[in-house]
Amino acid sequence: MVSSENKVHDFHIKNILKRLEEKDLDAMMVANFNNIYYLSGYLSTSFAFMIVKENPIIFVSGMDLENANNNSSIDIIKYESADQMVEYLNEEEIKDLAIESDLTANAYQKFKDFNLTISPAISIERMIKTDDEIDKIFKAGEIAHKSLLELDVRSKQEKGAEEWECAYELGYLMRKNGASTESFDTIFASGPVSSLPHSTPRHHKLDTPVLVDYGCKFEGYCSDTTRTFVYNEKQEEISKIVLEAHDKAIKAVKEGVKSCEVDKVARDIITEYGYGDKFIHSTGHSFGLDIHESPSLSLKDETILEKNMFVTIEPGIYLEGEFGVRIEDMVLVDKKAKIVGNLPPIL
Amino acid sequence: MVSSENKVHDFHIKNILKRLEEKDLDAMMVANFNNIYYLSGYLSTSFAFMIVKENPIIFVSGMDLENANNNSSIDIIKYESADQMVEYLNEEEIKDLAIESDLTANAYQKFKDFNLTISPAISIERMIKTDDEIDKIFKAGEIAHKSLLELDVRSKQEKGAEEWECAYELGYLMRKNGASTESFDTIFASGPVSSLPHSTPRHHKLDTPVLVDYGCKFEGYCSDTTRTFVYNEKQEEISKIVLEAHDKAIKAVKEGVKSCEVDKVARDIITEYGYGDKFIHSTGHSFGLDIHESPSLSLKDETILEKNMFVTIEPGIYLEGEFGVRIEDMVLVDKKAKIVGNLPPIL
């Protein structure tokens, strides 16, 4: 673990401790793999419990000791049992314990003798990206965009390729171009199933339109992009409305604006064209190590956008039984939104 | 939704209701995607809450309504808010509410005014596979084994292929042969990193030995197999010990035997050869819709094996900094264990 990374971990941990202290919390128990990775450099593949306090530690299974010791900037202890952890927390005189919102009920009950409080401290810390994180997200976007162009969806469609083959080849190209993996299961939805926002690629030739929602990870950080390849007048007409919502929402993104205000910009445009009830999800979400992070650009999210947050802008119109169109880009928040990459919105 | 599947769902739901009643629980709130799929045929991709009771229902987001209505045998309601669900549960006069062990702390707190009890009712129901589930798991195994032979790892090693390429090509072959996806991220670990049980495929030419732990899904059901390709005397020597533990543990699997007893058989053999402390995980685990299900074949699990359970048998020896060997097969529990497929344990 190089010292510059140690410093970043120390910086994040100090900020989190400050937030815990403000709420009179003694420590935080962290089980989410990406949170532990963010704070230590160690990415678990089975389970781990980090205790964030003045001298943080991580409990890992015996199976993971070698890997954890090789990668973590934080001290590692072999996990024996929940009782061992309870004893440890008692010895450290920890009473008010912060937990993550996605801690399992199983763990929740094992530690219920402590005063447990769900804390967003780490999610808040993760909202603002460091320069290194920004570089990695731009790089992930670059790899993803280059790969989609190399795939050449229109030529695949002409040749009668199947959805799953295209999704798989896109995954291959992203890895060949330097990604470690997809950032989520690629959506390659054509014809009527494009109206399902989360369709799974089928053993079925590409119909029209072709909606591709995909991304890759570069050194842990995600990209997230959607393009819809349209083929006739009706599809183009819907696509133009979605594009207008996409472009104006991007213009609305700047530091100081509320998340819900950006959602409203996109939603109002689609509603004006009479498709308000066909835009069945929020306008976007933040991302980073996870593909969905806080804030979300939704009706109810009042989080104020700050410099160096990333959000997706992804309005869509879904005509059940007919087709759907979604156009999604990633933007970096600043005085003016900076779009990740330069992939044309219509391909 | 065809009626035969409806009947299977009804059958499972009745069994679960019986288990809840025995514990004086009024209903169960189910959020785990595979649990909901198991009981309804609907596989969510965002979030869903099923309430298991006399007349079960599923709350889904507006975005998922079309997909849920197309696939679920259980009635669907549009989720508006946690408050709406609380109101619904109150109207149904539900007080003692069973939850899953992996419910999030977030949901746990939203429903904390009910008397929440973690219930293993669904995990228990999922332990014993139906004939249809057994067929799907055998089919998944067949696809996976065929694909590994087609990949031809020894020839890849000779040609200087990289770990990630091999992992990716194996994924392609499994899909070509009928799988929907991998059942978990393929482990393709060669040389010293084979001593890490969960190594991630690298942009690195295949060293020796080559450990491949992989599986695919067929109609939702997982396979799980490991083979270690050995290349010299030391590697062969370790491989023979692991094979002996593997074979004798498989012979120990039969209905009526405790899970921990099977673990002991494998562990005792490896310990006799002096490598007890190098076998750093349990001997196996059940699987099905998930890659890890109950029971686990570990020191502490006293679950009695029953007919039509599936377990993996996967002893290993890990020599830190040198290499690791693991051999894993899936077996169906009966009077005598039935191995899934006929892939030779040494390739």
Side-chain angles (χ1 to χ4, degrees):
Chain A
M1 190 53 41
V2 300
S3 64
S4 73
E5 284 176 346
N6 273 341
K7 275 183 197 161
V8 172
H9 298 152
D10 286 350
F11 169 77
H12 292 316
I13 288 171
K14 267 180 196 146
N15 288 341
I16 289 162
L17 288 177
K18 222 178 287 172
R19 284 197 196 94
L20 296 180
E21 211 183 327
E22 284 166 11
K23 303 278 180 190
D24 287 327
L25 294 163
D26 300 327
M28 182 157 183
M29 180 163 68
V30 184
N32 178 295
F33 292 174
N34 273 337
N35 280 345
I36 295 175
Y37 176 68
Y38 181 75
L39 298 175
S40 76
Y42 165 57
L43 185 61
S44 174
T45 55
S46 58
F47 77 90
F49 288 104
M50 178 172 181
I51 308 296
V52 178
K53 54 185 183 59
E54 226 26 78
N55 296 300
I57 56 147
I58 308 176
F59 291 84
V60 306
S61 81
M63 179 172 79
D64 297 325
L65 272 177
E66 182 184 352
N67 190 18
N69 277 317
N70 287 347
N71 292 290
S72 171
S73 65
I74 303 294
D75 287 344
I76 299 293
I77 298 186
K78 187 178 167 190
Y79 176 92
E80 307 284 352
S81 66
D83 289 346
Q84 165 213 22
M85 279 187 62
V86 168
E87 198 175 313
Y88 176 90
L89 293 168
N90 283 330
E91 276 169 14
E92 295 280 315
E93 300 186 354
I94 289 163
K95 287 190 181 92
D96 295 297
L97 186 61
I99 56 170
E100 300 152 303
S101 63
D102 62 351
L103 187 74
T104 65
N106 198 28
Y108 191 98
Q109 290 211 337
K110 277 179 181 153
F111 296 94
K112 70 175 188 293
D113 289 342
F114 297 91
N115 189 6
L116 300 181
T117 304
I118 294 176
S119 166
I122 303 180
S123 305
I124 291 171
E125 183 68 16
R126 281 174 55 179
M127 281 185 189
I128 311 289
K129 268 60 180 179
T130 62
D131 288 349
D132 182 54
E133 290 179 294
I134 292 169
D135 288 348
K136 285 174 180 167
I137 290 171
F138 270 82
K139 179 73 184 168
E142 186 190 300
I143 292 169
H145 294 166
K146 182 180 174 203
S147 303
L148 185 67
L149 293 174
E150 283 178 16
L151 183 69
D152 191 353
V153 173
R154 289 194 179 270
S155 125
K156 290 282 176 197
Q157 204 275 341
E158 275 165 29
K159 287 178 191 153
E162 297 194 350
E163 289 177 4
W164 76 274
E165 288 177 294
C166 294
Y168 207 68
E169 191 173 331
L170 184 55
Y172 172 79
L173 291 168
M174 293 194 290
R175 283 166 175 82
K176 184 178 72 70
N177 289 327
S180 59
T181 177
E182 286 90 355
S183 45
F184 57 92
D185 290 342
T186 297
I187 296 168
F188 225 103
S190 70
V193 299
S194 59
S195 80
L196 304 169
H198 285 172
S199 178
T200 304
R202 301 169 299 166
H203 282 254
H204 189 290
K205 283 185 186 177
L206 291 181
D207 195 350
T208 75
V210 184
L211 187 156
V212 188
D213 188 350
Y214 77 109
C216 68
K217 284 192 183 190
F218 178 74
E219 296 187 4
Y221 286 83
C222 298
S223 77
D224 190 359
T225 303
T226 306
R227 290 294 181 266
T228 307
F229 299 81
V230 296
Y231 287 81
N232 63 38
E233 220 171 297
K234 176 85 189 276
Q235 294 169 7
E236 275 170 20
E237 183 197 317
I238 296 296
S239 177
K240 272 185 193 163
I241 301 168
V242 173
L243 182 62
E244 188 181 332
H246 164 274
D247 290 352
K248 292 198 173 150
I250 289 177
K251 279 197 182 127
V253 170
K254 59 185 83 167
E255 49 182 352
V257 165
K258 280 186 188 169
S259 298
C260 54
E261 289 169 358
V262 179
D263 182 76
K264 193 172 180 319
V265 170
R267 203 164 298 281
D268 282 353
I269 290 164
I270 290 176
T271 304
E272 273 165 35
Y273 283 97
Y275 292 104
D277 61 331
K278 307 298 181 197
F279 178 19
I280 53 180
H281 54 68
S282 54
T283 296
H285 55 85
S286 190
F287 60 95
L289 289 170
D290 282 302
I291 189 63
H292 290 116
E293 298 189 0
S294 290
S296 75
L297 303 181
S298 61
L299 279 172
K300 292 175 187 172
D301 197 322
E302 305 236 326
T303 310
I304 291 168
L305 296 179
E306 289 179 60
K307 186 179 158 85
N308 293 348
M309 285 182 177
F310 277 94
V311 288
T312 67
I313 298 292
E314 49 177 313
I317 294 177
Y318 306 93
L319 306 176
E320 191 175 328
E322 286 188 76
F323 67 88
V325 172
R326 179 165 67 253
I327 302 173
E328 176 182 26
D329 273 294
M330 301 165 277
V331 301
L332 176 64
V333 181
D334 207 322
K335 277 173 192 141
K336 210 182 128 193
K338 186 174 177 193
I339 301 178
V340 175
N342 53 8
L343 188 70
I346 306 289
L347 289 169
Chain B
M1 188 51 44
V2 299
S3 64
S4 72
E5 284 176 346
N6 272 342
K7 275 183 195 160
V8 171
H9 298 151
D10 286 350
F11 169 78
H12 291 317
I13 289 172
K14 268 181 195 146
N15 288 341
I16 289 161
L17 288 177
K18 223 178 286 172
R19 284 196 195 93
L20 296 180
E21 211 184 326
E22 283 166 12
K23 302 278 182 192
D24 287 326
L25 294 163
D26 301 326
M28 182 156 183
M29 180 162 70
V30 185
N32 178 296
F33 291 175
N34 273 337
N35 280 344
I36 295 175
Y37 177 67
Y38 182 73
L39 299 176
S40 76
Y42 165 57
L43 186 61
S44 174
T45 55
S46 59
F47 78 90
F49 287 104
M50 178 173 181
I51 308 296
V52 178
K53 55 183 182 62
E54 225 28 75
N55 296 301
I57 55 149
I58 308 176
F59 291 84
V60 306
S61 81
M63 180 172 79
D64 296 325
L65 272 178
E66 181 184 352
N67 190 17
N69 278 317
N70 288 346
N71 292 291
S72 171
S73 64
I74 303 294
D75 287 345
I76 300 294
I77 298 186
K78 187 177 166 191
Y79 176 92
E80 306 283 353
S81 67
D83 289 345
Q84 165 212 24
M85 279 188 62
V86 167
E87 198 174 315
Y88 176 89
L89 293 168
N90 283 330
E91 275 169 15
E92 295 280 315
E93 299 186 355
I94 289 162
K95 289 192 179 90
D96 296 296
L97 185 62
I99 55 170
E100 299 152 303
S101 63
D102 61 352
L103 187 76
T104 64
N106 199 27
Y108 191 98
Q109 290 210 338
K110 278 179 182 153
F111 296 95
K112 70 175 188 293
D113 289 341
F114 297 91
N115 189 7
L116 300 180
T117 305
I118 293 175
S119 165
I122 303 181
S123 306
I124 292 171
E125 183 69 16
R126 281 176 53 179
M127 282 185 188
I128 312 289
K129 268 60 179 178
T130 61
D131 288 349
D132 181 54
E133 290 179 294
I134 292 169
D135 287 348
K136 285 173 179 167
I137 289 171
F138 270 81
K139 179 71 184 171
E142 187 190 299
I143 292 169
H145 294 167
K146 183 181 174 201
S147 303
L148 185 66
L149 294 174
E150 284 178 16
L151 183 69
D152 191 353
V153 173
R154 289 195 179 270
S155 124
K156 290 282 176 197
Q157 203 276 341
E158 275 165 27
K159 287 177 192 154
E162 297 194 351
E163 290 177 3
W164 76 275
E165 288 178 295
C166 295
Y168 208 67
E169 191 174 332
L170 185 55
Y172 172 79
L173 291 168
M174 292 194 289
R175 283 166 175 81
K176 184 179 72 70
N177 289 325
S180 59
T181 177
E182 287 90 354
S183 44
F184 56 92
D185 289 343
T186 297
I187 297 168
F188 225 103
S190 70
V193 298
S194 57
S195 79
L196 304 170
H198 285 171
S199 178
T200 302
R202 301 169 299 167
H203 282 253
H204 188 290
K205 281 184 186 178
L206 292 181
D207 196 349
T208 77
V210 184
L211 188 155
V212 188
D213 189 349
Y214 78 110
C216 67
K217 284 194 184 190
F218 178 73
E219 297 188 2
Y221 286 83
C222 298
S223 77
D224 191 359
T225 303
T226 306
R227 290 294 180 265
T228 307
F229 299 81
V230 296
Y231 287 81
N232 64 37
E233 221 172 298
K234 176 85 189 276
Q235 294 170 6
E236 275 169 19
E237 185 197 315
I238 296 296
S239 176
K240 273 184 192 160
I241 300 168
V242 173
L243 182 61
E244 189 181 331
H246 164 275
D247 290 351
K248 291 199 174 149
I250 289 178
K251 279 198 182 125
V253 171
K254 58 185 83 166
E255 49 181 350
V257 164
K258 280 184 187 169
S259 298
C260 55
E261 289 169 0
V262 179
D263 182 76
K264 193 173 181 317
V265 169
R267 203 162 299 281
D268 283 354
I269 290 164
I270 290 175
T271 303
E272 272 166 34
Y273 283 98
Y275 293 104
D277 62 332
K278 307 296 180 199
F279 178 20
I280 53 181
H281 54 70
S282 54
T283 295
H285 56 84
S286 190
F287 60 95
L289 289 171
D290 282 303
I291 191 63
H292 289 117
E293 298 189 1
S294 291
S296 75
L297 303 182
S298 61
L299 279 171
K300 290 174 187 172
D301 196 322
E302 305 237 325
T303 311
I304 291 168
L305 297 179
E306 289 179 61
K307 185 179 160 81
N308 294 348
M309 284 181 176
F310 277 94
V311 288
T312 67
I313 298 293
E314 50 178 311
I317 293 176
Y318 306 92
L319 307 176
E320 190 174 328
E322 286 188 78
F323 67 89
V325 172
R326 178 165 68 253
I327 304 173
E328 174 183 27
D329 275 293
M330 300 164 277
V331 300
L332 175 63
V333 181
D334 206 323
K335 277 171 191 143
K336 213 181 127 191
K338 186 175 176 191
I339 301 178
V340 175
N342 53 9
L343 188 72
I346 307 289
L347 288 169

